[in-house]
Each structure stands twice: as structure tokens, then as C-alpha cells.
Amino acid sequence: AQKITQTQPGMFVQEKEAVTLDCTYDTSDPSYGLFWYKQPSSGEMIFLIYQGSYDQQNATEGRYSLNFQKARKSANLVISASQLGDSAMYFCAMRDRGTSYGKLTFGQGTILTVHP
Amino acid sequence: NAGVTQTPKFQVLKTGQSMTLQCAQDMNHNSMYWYRQDPGMGLRLIYYSASEGTTDKGEVPNGYNVSRLNKREFSLRLESAAPSQTSVYFCASSEGSTAYEQYFGPGTRLTVT
């Protein structure tokens, strides 16, 4: 069963504007973690941000923040003040207790293009 | 610290050939993983090793075998390559079951003709 859904195959944003990348998830486990990774055209996977299911506050890391809405099972990534270097593929991923030992389930990804 | 290294970076195989993808990490992590990434899809877990001496199947294990040679190294073997195994392969590692971040290698781009 699909556990992570990213419904936006591609997104465009103007440089210096903010953009939200959507992610919804499905799990019956009360304990889980949500992750965002960035994959530039060079191919490497870069960890961006993490949100635990019991975390009281939304996670933030520099220009990245995670809009965590537990009841709606969504974990959207917000990138503020977009830069040309933010153009990349972005993956949402989840680890729940059913996938122990750190195994991650990934969404299909969203390609973000930042226009100058 | 090199992090997670993978060899080779690129490989072309003919159908039926075998090969081993190598992965090593120098972060003293307990857990290691092999993923494949196909166009338009996210990463799918092939096999993982929670700790040295243990391996388990992931989502798409058919056609692959793995060996956790020691704590540092985790190899992926294709015994008889098929065109459906054309993909980019990523190795990753993490500290263990409570770790929330996985560190990824640069990937191996494999083409099977």
C-alpha cells in the first residue's frame, strides 16, 4: 500500500519567493518520523529536515520548514526565499515502527524549478 | 571522513552477466541499506542490514543478494542481470534503529542491455 504521496510532479517558483511542496502519508503507527531529502541533478541524496510524530513544534532548518498537520497526515516542506540552487528533485520519506531499523519509504518526488 | 562510498559509479552489463556493487561507510554506523531508483519514482528498498551479521529483504529483493562483510561494508550482487534491473543504486547507512537520518552514497548507474 502506498504510504507516502507527493501529488506535485513538478513545481515552479520565482527566485526569492517561498514555495510549498506537498506530502501526505498513511500509517496506523502512532510513532513515526518524516523526512525530506533533496536530490540535485548531480544525483546525490541530501538530508534536509526531520519531523517526529510526537514533536510539538514544526521542524525548521534554515530556509526549510516542515508544515506538520498530524490530523490531516500531511508534512509539507516550505522553502523560503528560493534560490537558483534549490532547483532539484525533492523526496518526502517516512519511517514508522513497522519499518524498524531505520528503513525509509519514499514518495515519488517533486521536481522544483527556480526561475531567476 | 569520506562518508558512504560506492563503486563503481557507472556500469554496463549484458543480460545474464553478474556483478557486485560495493559500498563502504566510515561513520561506524550499525545499519546499512541498498535502494534502487527508477525514473519518475522514489527510492525503493532492496535489502538492509540492521547490524553486522544480519540482512533482511526490503520491498524489491528479487534478483539480488547481499553480504554484510563487516561493519563497514555492505555489498549487493546481481547474479544474472536483467534489463529490468537497469536503475540507479544507492547505498545508505545510519546509526541504528533510533537514528533518524540516513546518509547516502553517490549512487551507481547500472545499465543492462
Side-chain angles (χ1 to χ4, degrees):
Chain A
Q2 184 83 24
K3 286 193 171 186
I4 294 282
T5 303
Q6 295 179 252
T7 56
Q8 307 155 314
M11 288 286 286
F12 296 88
V13 67
Q14 212 62 33
E15 196 178 7
K16 298 180 186 173
E17 292 185 349
V19 63
T20 298
L21 306 183
D22 294 342
C23 173
T24 58
Y25 60 91
D26 182 30
T27 181
S28 56
D29 192 338
S31 176
Y32 53 89
L34 296 153
F35 309 77
W36 279 91
Y37 281 84
K38 173 184 178 181
Q39 186 178 42
S41 57
S42 52
E44 72 267 32
M45 295 288 287
I46 302 168
F47 168 73
L48 295 178
I49 196 166
Y50 165 81
Q51 179 85 44
S53 59
Y54 294 120
D55 293 343
Q56 294 296 314
Q57 297 193 332
N58 287 345
T60 61
E61 288 286 347
R63 293 186 299 109
Y64 304 108
S65 60
L66 202 151
N67 184 0
F68 181 46
Q69 297 189 41
K70 198 169 182 176
R72 297 179 63 184
K73 294 189 174 178
S74 75
N76 299 338
L77 177 71
V78 181
I79 305 174
S80 62
S82 297
Q83 301 172 356
L84 296 178
D86 294 334
S87 293
M89 174 80 90
Y90 289 81
F91 290 101
C92 180
M94 181 178 70
R95 172 179 55 79
D96 60 23
R97 205 176 295 165
T99 57
S100 60
Y101 303 108
K103 292 189 294 177
L104 295 176
T105 300
F106 285 82
Q108 308 94 314
T110 295
I111 299 175
L112 176 66
T113 304
V114 181
H115 289 304
Chain B
N1 253 4
V4 180
T5 56
Q6 290 182 236
T7 55
K9 285 191 166 53
F10 301 93
Q11 184 71 49
V12 179
L13 290 178
K14 290 186 175 11
T15 298
Q17 288 185 319
S18 62
M19 79 161 295
T20 300
L21 279 63
Q22 306 286 355
C23 173
Q25 51 92 9
D26 62 3
M27 295 173 282
N28 203 36
H29 286 167
N30 287 316
S31 301
M32 297 185 74
Y33 315 84
W34 276 106
Y35 293 91
R36 62 177 286 173
Q37 182 180 23
D38 300 308
M41 300 184 71
L43 279 69
R44 293 182 293 168
L45 184 68
I46 305 171
Y47 269 94
Y48 70 100
S49 171
S51 60
E52 187 178 354
T54 69
T55 61
D56 280 289
K57 294 178 181 178
E59 184 185 350
V60 288
N62 290 347
Y64 305 96
N65 284 304
V66 291
S67 295
R68 184 74 183 267
L69 304 168
N70 47 55
K71 193 171 186 180
R72 288 188 64 248
E73 298 171 286
F74 187 39
S75 63
L76 178 73
R77 182 159 179 84
L78 286 71
E79 290 292 350
S80 178
S84 60
Q85 293 178 304
T86 293
S87 190
V88 180
Y89 291 85
F90 287 96
C91 178
S93 70
S94 66
E95 288 178 0
S97 60
T98 58
Y100 57 77
E101 181 177 347
Q102 288 188 10
Y103 295 81
F104 283 81
T108 294
R109 189 172 294 273
L110 174 68
T111 302
V112 183
T113 60

